[in-house]
Structure formats: structure tokens, C-alpha cells
Amino acid sequence: MQRSEARSAPDLGLDLKPPVRLDAWALAVAAGIVAGTVLPPLGIALVIASLILALGGTFWRDLVRPDWRLMAMLSPVFTVAGVGIAFLHLSTPDPLAELAAMEPGEVIVAGEISSPPAQSSYGYRADVRVEHLWYEGEEILRGGGVEVFASDLSVGVGDDVRVDGEISIPEPGEDGFDYAKYLATKRISATVDATNVVPLSEDGWIGRVHRRTDVALGYGLRPDEAAVVRGMVLGDRSRIPEELDEAFQRSGITHVLAISGQHVAILAAMIYFVLRGFAIPIRACVPATLALIWLYILVAGAPPSAIRAGVVATLVLAARFFGLQVSPLHFMTTMLAAVLAYNPMLIYSTGFQLSVAAVFGILLLRKPLKSFVESTLFKPLKKPPEAISNLLAVSLAAQVATAPIIAASFGTVSVIGVLTNLVAVPLSGPILTLGLLGAIAGNVAPLLAYPINASNGFLVTLLEWIAQTASSMPFASLETSGVGLPLIWMFYIGCAPAALAESLVPEARWPVWGGLLLLWVGGWLTLVGAGSG
């Protein structure tokens, strides 16, 4: 009886003895979240496609490689999970947004400042996590987030405030920019035009450190140098002269002035390798690096992008600390799925899009581009300089991967950025490190910050010179207005062969695909540039 049952059991063609690939599970979850958030019918179509793939992998063995067959069969589970997460977020009611849509007039909000105040055309703006909201003398809701606009905001992150003002839904910009979606990426549902902002307490120690750091970064630096360091350490670009800010944009290195995951990654690498250079053991090196990273994040006001990067850096360094092997691609897709599961609206954040594109560009395109660089620029050399070719490949990969997003979001792409980033990115590491050390010293005693900031001034002057010199060159940037989703998809589809070259093509052929990738990027930029002209 048992033998006949064994004969009749279906053979799914699964051999679990060799390694089974489940690397794509996080990618399936993330794809489901994105599809379900952007266009719900697309999410349903993705689920149907995964079901077809699962059935095909089950009954047609040649459709999927044996080590990927289990992943194909489980793909509907992960895709449904992602779409389900998106639908759950979309269907969850938002009482604060519903109240703002009614335009009830003046309300009273009590809450905590969650972002450093920044200058705006209306004065200043800051994000507030709502703890209590009163309307007509009655408390009607708790929770959520609002963006407050006021003529003056002398408060810091973590301070408790009372805000009196009119609540409303975010209005689109004059250029059609969807401000509501942008605020949703920060889990903010409404704006408040404040008539009065009263600090209830200044117990937010992050805010106190932020304010003291702002003062400390001015010791021993000229005003323009201090403005650049403030932008890099605190994310406050309001004091950077307009012409200097434009020079950073045209030269393709404006990203070094904004707090982002890249800042955390550069700072982590800088600290870690400097400590290792002094032969400090990993057991001491990793905790010291993590302590300084999180100190920087707190000093910067704990912006969400820096916190996400801090979590990633913590997990990567922890894996190294415990001697664990981590697949970078699998790790990043897992982090992407986790972050999107927490807040699917992040897909509308330009900063988040650029961070994700840059990371995956480096992971997927670096090796073909490195092979191309070594077989062309460094071909005359017997042994290509590993560090320089790696740096150039990383810069190229990040520039290529982010080009369509920059073109669509800002209407211009820096052509010279590939070269300027070769110097600006490594230079930003010491500037950030010295800026953090100067901030720490200045918080203890202003006199201690002078020598650190003064030595940093030379590096900042060099960075400014690079930006101004590069931006003054002809064809430093290319106008790219009118780039939409079809052109963006066309760009990434054209990059796919090079991205897959490492897995599908012999290493000897990588330089060819790296060269073809750069030709494709050049052709695409020429196309969109001609369309803009």
C-alpha cells in the first residue's frame, strides 16, 4: 500500500540536497509593495504573473533552473505578501488627513519637533509629531504628523511645542509638484500655517546638541566654509551662497551637501579603515565606528534617511564583527523590502529613489565598468591600480544608475560629475570626519574646535574650488526637461544586459558590456538632451 502511494505522489522536480536559491524573495515582496502602491491593478497583475511562473516551474521543468525552482514555486506567496502590505497601507484610514480635507480652520496642536527647522518662502518650516489636537476647545485626535510653517521657529528636534494655526491638506506646487505625496514619504498628513508657536519644553537633547553643533561649526572657519560644513554635517544648506550652491549642482557633487545614506556610508568607511590602519582589532574597531556613526546621526538631527543608513551600517558591521558571510545584493533587497513594508510611500521620495538606484547600480554595474576601465584607460600598465579603477567604476556605476532619476526630477544632468565625484566623494570623508570631531570639541569647549575646524577649512576650500572650476566648463551639465516614465523604463531596460553580465557572461567579455553600457547611456542622454533643446 505504501509503495503504490509513493508511486502516485507527484514529482515536483525539487532536489533540496544541493543549495536552493531563495535570494529573490525580498525582491518579490518589494515589487509587490511598489506595484500595489503605485497602481493596485498592476499589483493584481503581478500576482497573476507569479502564479503562472509557479505553475510553469512546477509542470515544465526546463522553464526554471533546478536551483531556482523552489523560488519560482514560492513566488506567489512573496508577491501576495507585498501586494497585501501595500493594500493594507492604502486602506488604513488617516483621521488627520480627513480632518485637514474638511478645512475646519484654526486648531491647536501639541507635539514634538521631529526635524530641524529649515528656511522656506514662508519663513521657517519643521515637522511635528502630533500628540494632541484640539478643535473648538475639544481634543479630537492623537497621533500623526504635520508640517508647520511659521515666521519664526526657535526650537530644536525633540522639543515639545504648542502650535496654533489653520490646518489644511498640502497644496500642489506651481510646477505641478505633488507636495502631499512628498510629505507622505515622511508620514505627514497635513500642513499648519501657524499664527503662534510656543515651546512647552526644551528637553529634546538632540535639539540642544544640534544647536550647540551649529555654533561650534563656525569656530575657525570663514562664512562660506562654515556654510558648506553645516550643510554636510547638519543638512542646513540655507547659508550657502546661491552661486556656490549652483556650482555644486552643475558639477554633479551637490549630493555631498545633503545628509543622506551616502554620508553615513562614507563616514563609516572612513572611520573603520582609519582605525584598522592603526592596527586596532575588529573587536574594538566595529563598536567605535558604530558609536561615532550614531553620534553623527544624532548630531545631524536624526533624519530618516540617515537612520535607515545607520541601521544598514550597523547590520553590515555586526556581520563582520561576528564573522558572518553576507551577500550584499541579498542583504540590500531584504533591507529594501523591510523599509518599503514600513512606509510604501517612500517610493515617491526622490532621495530614496536616488539612494536605492546608486546602491544597486554599484552592486550590479561596478564589475563590468571596472573591467572596461582597466582594459582601456589602464591598458598600457602592467598592473592596473586597483584602488583607482575601483573608485572610478563605483563613481561611474552610481552616476549611470541615478542619471534618469536626476534627469526627470531636476531637469538637468551633470556630464562632468563622473570626474568631479572621483575627487569630491573621497574628499567628503575627511571633511565629514573633521566636521564631526570639531562639533564634538565645540560642544565641550569652543577653543578646542578652532584647530580642528581650521584644518578642515583647507579641504573645504579645495572642494569649493573643484565645484566652481568644473561648473564653469562648457557642457558641464545637460538640460533634460520632459523625461517621463517611458524614457526612464527604456533607460533601465537598456542597462539590464550589463547588470546581468556578471552572472551570465564570461569575465573576459565584461569589458565589452561595460563599454556598451556607456555607449547606451551616452545615446540616451543625447536623445533626451535633443528633446529638451
Side-chain angles (χ1 to χ4, degrees), residues 267-269 271-272 275 284-294 317:
L267 187 62
I271 295 169
Y272 180 82
L275 293 177
C285 187
V286 169
T289 303
L290 290 177
L292 288 172
I293 286 172
W294 284 103
L317 289 172

Side-chain angles (χ1 to χ4, degrees), residues 96-104 168-169:
L96 189 58
E98 293 170 1
L99 173 68
M102 295 168 59
E103 297 185 352
S168 61
I169 57 175

Side-chain angles (χ1 to χ4, degrees), residues 85-100:
I85 290 170
F87 286 0
L88 181 64
H89 278 276
L90 290 174
S91 61
T92 301
D94 186 347
L96 189 58
E98 293 170 1
L99 173 68

Side-chain angles (χ1 to χ4, degrees), residues 343-482:
N343 184 9
M345 296 302 288
L346 279 171
I347 59 176
Y348 296 112
S349 167
T350 302
F352 180 73
Q353 294 168 8
L354 289 171
S355 296
V356 171
V359 168
F360 281 97
I362 292 169
L363 290 176
L364 296 172
L365 301 175
R366 181 185 65 84
K367 288 186 178 180
L369 289 172
K370 180 173 179 286
S371 297
F372 174 77
V373 168
E374 290 177 345
S375 64
T376 53
L377 293 180
F378 300 130
K379 189 175 182 179
L381 304 178
K382 291 183 178 179
K383 186 179 179 182
E386 187 74 15
I388 297 177
S389 59
N390 250 324
L391 185 60
L392 185 55
V394 166
S395 178
L396 276 170
Q399 294 281 313
V400 167
T402 56
I405 300 173
I406 293 173
S409 302
F410 305 108
T412 182
V413 172
S414 175
V415 178
I416 203 169
V418 173
L419 298 177
T420 54
N421 275 281
L422 291 177
V423 181
V425 172
L427 194 59
S428 65
I431 293 174
L432 267 174
T433 305
L434 289 173
L436 179 59
L437 293 176
I440 296 171
N443 272 274
V444 176
L447 186 64
L448 299 176
Y450 274 94
I452 300 174
N453 288 343
S455 61
N456 206 10
F458 169 74
L459 299 178
V460 177
T461 301
L462 180 59
L463 183 66
E464 291 178 0
W465 179 82
I466 291 169
Q468 292 167 338
T469 303
S471 66
S472 64
M473 294 181 179
F475 307 109
S477 61
L478 180 69
E479 296 297 323
T480 56
S481 58

Side-chain angles (χ1 to χ4, degrees), residues 102-123:
M102 295 168 59
E103 297 185 352
E106 183 147 330
V107 297
I108 299 174
V109 174
E112 182 181 281
I113 299 291
S114 60
S115 72
Q119 282 188 327
S120 72
S121 56
Y122 302 98

